[in-house]
Amino acid sequence: MLNKILRAFTGYKIKNIAVDGFEIKISYVGKFPTTSPLAFLKELKEKISFTPRVNVDSFDFKAHWETRLAKVKHVLPSCSAKFQIDGSTYKISRYVSKEGKTPVSIYEYSENDHTFAFFSRLYDHGIFFYEIKTNLISSMEIRKSKEDSNRYFISNDHYSVILDVFGHSQVFIWNDQEAVNRCLNRVAP
């Protein structure tokens, strides 16, 4: 009954599911999301493990972080997944937006209402990735590897970014390494 009342006022449907032993409450508009809310975290753990990190002090990620925060600040997500682990409440929210004319999905990751990471997928067939790759290599920030890499793990004192292409450009950025480590150790041990 409560679900019907909430749906009437907000337009959101609510469904509780179990994924990998976690009870997850999903609020969504439209169709039920088909991707596991934990999938990108598991991918992130693998990418961190298998991608060499490059420290680049002169590259400023703050503008990208602030852009993501601004895009999600006053918009309702198309879906949210909430779950609890070890006294922490995690929330993963998906937003649909545009970068110019290009559609983008933005996933916001938070622990106890503290945003610590964003995952973005630009539906651009890799154009953004190849532009950034060319800029990083040409500015000598990152040396071109012997293999033509489709993934980079870049850090400075405040931010870390995994930039890759899997059909479309993808960016995972975080500003709190401890929160990311805690989440990954809990969700994808």
Side-chain angles (χ1 to χ4, degrees), residues 4 8 16 23 27 32 39 46 50 59 63 72 84 87 100 120 141 143 146 168:
K4 289 182 181 181
N16 294 311
E23 292 295 322
S27 304
F32 184 75
E46 184 177 315
F50 294 108
F59 203 79
V72 303
Q84 293 190 342
S120 304
E141 297 290 350
R143 296 184 191 274
K146 292 178 183 174
H168 297 289

mmCIF file of all heavy atoms in Angstrom, residues 4 8 16 23 27 32 39 46 50 59 63 72 84 87 100 120 141 143 146 168:
data_model
loop_
_atom_site.group_PDB
_atom_site.id
_atom_site.type_symbol
_atom_site.label_atom_id
_atom_site.label_comp_id
_atom_site.label_asym_id
_atom_site.label_seq_id
_atom_site.Cartn_x
_atom_site.Cartn_y
_atom_site.Cartn_z
ATOM 1 N N LYS A 4 2.266 2.100 -3.359
ATOM 2 C CA LYS A 4 1.305 2.746 -4.263
ATOM 3 C C LYS A 4 1.144 4.221 -3.943
ATOM 4 O O LYS A 4 1.042 5.056 -4.853
ATOM 5 C CB LYS A 4 -0.043 2.034 -4.190
ATOM 6 C CG LYS A 4 -0.028 0.669 -4.837
ATOM 7 C CD LYS A 4 -1.388 0.026 -4.789
ATOM 8 C CE LYS A 4 -1.324 -1.359 -5.444
ATOM 9 N NZ LYS A 4 -2.611 -2.021 -5.441
ATOM 10 N N ALA A 8 2.255 7.328 -6.413
ATOM 11 C CA ALA A 8 1.285 8.354 -6.824
ATOM 12 C C ALA A 8 1.865 9.754 -6.644
ATOM 13 O O ALA A 8 1.645 10.635 -7.474
ATOM 14 C CB ALA A 8 -0.007 8.203 -6.029
ATOM 15 N N ASN A 16 12.459 -4.219 -3.785
ATOM 16 C CA ASN A 16 13.562 -4.760 -2.989
ATOM 17 C C ASN A 16 14.077 -6.013 -3.671
ATOM 18 O O ASN A 16 13.289 -6.885 -4.033
ATOM 19 C CB ASN A 16 13.100 -5.081 -1.562
ATOM 20 C CG ASN A 16 12.734 -3.834 -0.804
ATOM 21 O OD1 ASN A 16 13.486 -2.869 -0.789
ATOM 22 N ND2 ASN A 16 11.574 -3.831 -0.175
ATOM 23 N N GLU A 23 20.712 -6.936 0.520
ATOM 24 C CA GLU A 23 19.330 -6.507 0.310
ATOM 25 C C GLU A 23 19.374 -5.066 -0.194
ATOM 26 O O GLU A 23 19.853 -4.174 0.512
ATOM 27 C CB GLU A 23 18.532 -6.587 1.617
ATOM 28 C CG GLU A 23 18.302 -8.003 2.098
ATOM 29 C CD GLU A 23 17.422 -8.807 1.143
ATOM 30 O OE1 GLU A 23 16.461 -8.253 0.578
ATOM 31 O OE2 GLU A 23 17.718 -10.004 0.967
ATOM 32 N N SER A 27 14.643 2.362 -6.178
ATOM 33 C CA SER A 27 13.578 3.295 -6.558
ATOM 34 C C SER A 27 13.842 3.678 -7.999
ATOM 35 O O SER A 27 14.963 4.060 -8.343
ATOM 36 C CB SER A 27 13.621 4.550 -5.690
ATOM 37 O OG SER A 27 13.542 4.229 -4.332
ATOM 38 N N PHE A 32 12.278 -1.106 -14.973
ATOM 39 C CA PHE A 32 13.178 -1.545 -13.921
ATOM 40 C C PHE A 32 14.593 -1.670 -14.505
ATOM 41 O O PHE A 32 14.769 -2.236 -15.582
ATOM 42 C CB PHE A 32 12.716 -2.894 -13.353
ATOM 43 C CG PHE A 32 13.533 -3.377 -12.205
ATOM 44 C CD1 PHE A 32 13.391 -2.803 -10.952
ATOM 45 C CD2 PHE A 32 14.462 -4.395 -12.370
ATOM 46 C CE1 PHE A 32 14.151 -3.242 -9.883
ATOM 47 C CE2 PHE A 32 15.225 -4.837 -11.315
ATOM 48 C CZ PHE A 32 15.068 -4.259 -10.057
ATOM 49 N N ALA A 39 27.527 -3.707 -10.258
ATOM 50 C CA ALA A 39 28.366 -4.109 -11.390
ATOM 51 C C ALA A 39 29.541 -3.164 -11.626
ATOM 52 O O ALA A 39 30.677 -3.614 -11.820
ATOM 53 C CB ALA A 39 27.526 -4.230 -12.656
ATOM 54 N N GLU A 46 38.444 -4.388 -10.392
ATOM 55 C CA GLU A 46 39.292 -5.087 -11.361
ATOM 56 C C GLU A 46 40.183 -4.106 -12.117
ATOM 57 O O GLU A 46 41.381 -4.353 -12.304
ATOM 58 C CB GLU A 46 38.419 -5.870 -12.342
ATOM 59 C CG GLU A 46 39.220 -6.699 -13.312
ATOM 60 C CD GLU A 46 38.331 -7.523 -14.215
ATOM 61 O OE1 GLU A 46 37.370 -8.132 -13.718
ATOM 62 O OE2 GLU A 46 38.602 -7.529 -15.427
ATOM 63 N N PHE A 50 44.364 -4.030 -12.237
ATOM 64 C CA PHE A 50 45.106 -4.413 -13.440
ATOM 65 C C PHE A 50 45.571 -3.242 -14.311
ATOM 66 O O PHE A 50 46.133 -3.465 -15.371
ATOM 67 C CB PHE A 50 44.268 -5.366 -14.290
ATOM 68 C CG PHE A 50 44.041 -6.690 -13.607
ATOM 69 C CD1 PHE A 50 42.800 -7.018 -13.094
ATOM 70 C CD2 PHE A 50 45.088 -7.588 -13.456
ATOM 71 C CE1 PHE A 50 42.593 -8.232 -12.446
ATOM 72 C CE2 PHE A 50 44.893 -8.798 -12.813
ATOM 73 C CZ PHE A 50 43.646 -9.118 -12.305
ATOM 74 N N PHE A 59 47.786 17.841 -13.812
ATOM 75 C CA PHE A 59 46.467 17.666 -14.433
ATOM 76 C C PHE A 59 45.389 17.927 -13.393
ATOM 77 O O PHE A 59 45.378 17.307 -12.334
ATOM 78 C CB PHE A 59 46.338 16.247 -15.006
ATOM 79 C CG PHE A 59 45.324 16.137 -16.100
ATOM 80 C CD1 PHE A 59 45.635 16.545 -17.378
ATOM 81 C CD2 PHE A 59 44.062 15.640 -15.846
ATOM 82 C CE1 PHE A 59 44.707 16.447 -18.402
ATOM 83 C CE2 PHE A 59 43.127 15.546 -16.849
ATOM 84 C CZ PHE A 59 43.457 15.948 -18.135
ATOM 85 N N ALA A 63 37.695 20.481 -12.036
ATOM 86 C CA ALA A 63 36.634 20.992 -12.914
ATOM 87 C C ALA A 63 35.683 19.865 -13.319
ATOM 88 O O ALA A 63 34.460 20.048 -13.325
ATOM 89 C CB ALA A 63 37.233 21.651 -14.150
ATOM 90 N N VAL A 72 24.138 16.805 -11.035
ATOM 91 C CA VAL A 72 23.224 15.966 -10.257
ATOM 92 C C VAL A 72 22.581 16.692 -9.079
ATOM 93 O O VAL A 72 21.663 16.167 -8.461
ATOM 94 C CB VAL A 72 23.927 14.687 -9.745
ATOM 95 C CG1 VAL A 72 24.508 13.904 -10.918
ATOM 96 C CG2 VAL A 72 24.977 14.979 -8.706
ATOM 97 N N GLN A 84 22.680 -1.328 3.026
ATOM 98 C CA GLN A 84 23.494 -1.097 4.214
ATOM 99 C C GLN A 84 24.512 -2.209 4.393
ATOM 100 O O GLN A 84 24.209 -3.384 4.165
ATOM 101 C CB GLN A 84 22.614 -1.003 5.454
ATOM 102 C CG GLN A 84 21.730 0.210 5.431
ATOM 103 C CD GLN A 84 21.027 0.437 6.757
ATOM 104 O OE1 GLN A 84 20.922 -0.461 7.579
ATOM 105 N NE2 GLN A 84 20.561 1.655 6.958
ATOM 106 N N GLY A 87 27.016 -0.878 9.141
ATOM 107 C CA GLY A 87 26.608 0.404 9.719
ATOM 108 C C GLY A 87 26.643 1.582 8.762
ATOM 109 O O GLY A 87 26.320 2.698 9.149
ATOM 110 N N GLY A 100 26.623 18.636 -24.195
ATOM 111 C CA GLY A 100 26.363 19.175 -25.526
ATOM 112 C C GLY A 100 25.170 18.427 -26.092
ATOM 113 O O GLY A 100 24.099 18.427 -25.517
ATOM 114 N N SER A 120 30.725 7.917 -15.219
ATOM 115 C CA SER A 120 30.009 8.516 -16.343
ATOM 116 C C SER A 120 30.268 7.716 -17.605
ATOM 117 O O SER A 120 31.399 7.317 -17.872
ATOM 118 C CB SER A 120 30.479 9.955 -16.592
ATOM 119 O OG SER A 120 30.352 10.732 -15.438
ATOM 120 N N GLU A 141 52.095 14.295 -20.531
ATOM 121 C CA GLU A 141 51.679 13.916 -19.185
ATOM 122 C C GLU A 141 51.777 12.404 -19.030
ATOM 123 O O GLU A 141 52.126 11.907 -17.977
ATOM 124 C CB GLU A 141 50.239 14.365 -18.912
ATOM 125 C CG GLU A 141 50.030 15.862 -18.940
ATOM 126 C CD GLU A 141 50.663 16.575 -17.766
ATOM 127 O OE1 GLU A 141 51.119 15.908 -16.823
ATOM 128 O OE2 GLU A 141 50.736 17.804 -17.807
ATOM 129 N N ARG A 143 53.221 8.956 -21.097
ATOM 130 C CA ARG A 143 53.972 8.429 -22.232
ATOM 131 C C ARG A 143 53.141 7.364 -22.936
ATOM 132 O O ARG A 143 52.468 6.568 -22.301
ATOM 133 C CB ARG A 143 55.284 7.825 -21.760
ATOM 134 C CG ARG A 143 56.216 8.831 -21.154
ATOM 135 C CD ARG A 143 57.532 8.141 -20.818
ATOM 136 N NE ARG A 143 58.356 8.992 -20.002
ATOM 137 C CZ ARG A 143 59.179 9.913 -20.474
ATOM 138 N NH1 ARG A 143 59.278 10.102 -21.768
ATOM 139 N NH2 ARG A 143 59.904 10.640 -19.663
ATOM 140 N N LYS A 146 53.762 0.838 -25.219
ATOM 141 C CA LYS A 146 54.068 -0.004 -26.368
ATOM 142 C C LYS A 146 52.791 -0.566 -26.972
ATOM 143 O O LYS A 146 52.684 -0.741 -28.163
ATOM 144 C CB LYS A 146 55.011 -1.133 -25.952
ATOM 145 C CG LYS A 146 56.374 -0.649 -25.580
ATOM 146 C CD LYS A 146 57.256 -1.787 -25.135
ATOM 147 C CE LYS A 146 58.598 -1.245 -24.685
ATOM 148 N NZ LYS A 146 59.443 -2.274 -24.112
ATOM 149 N N HIS A 168 31.880 3.036 -25.792
ATOM 150 C CA HIS A 168 31.668 4.455 -25.502
ATOM 151 C C HIS A 168 32.687 4.900 -24.454
ATOM 152 O O HIS A 168 33.255 4.079 -23.739
ATOM 153 C CB HIS A 168 30.243 4.689 -24.979
ATOM 154 C CG HIS A 168 29.178 4.337 -25.977
ATOM 155 N ND1 HIS A 168 28.945 5.078 -27.107
ATOM 156 C CD2 HIS A 168 28.304 3.303 -26.018
ATOM 157 C CE1 HIS A 168 27.961 4.533 -27.802
ATOM 158 N NE2 HIS A 168 27.556 3.446 -27.162
#
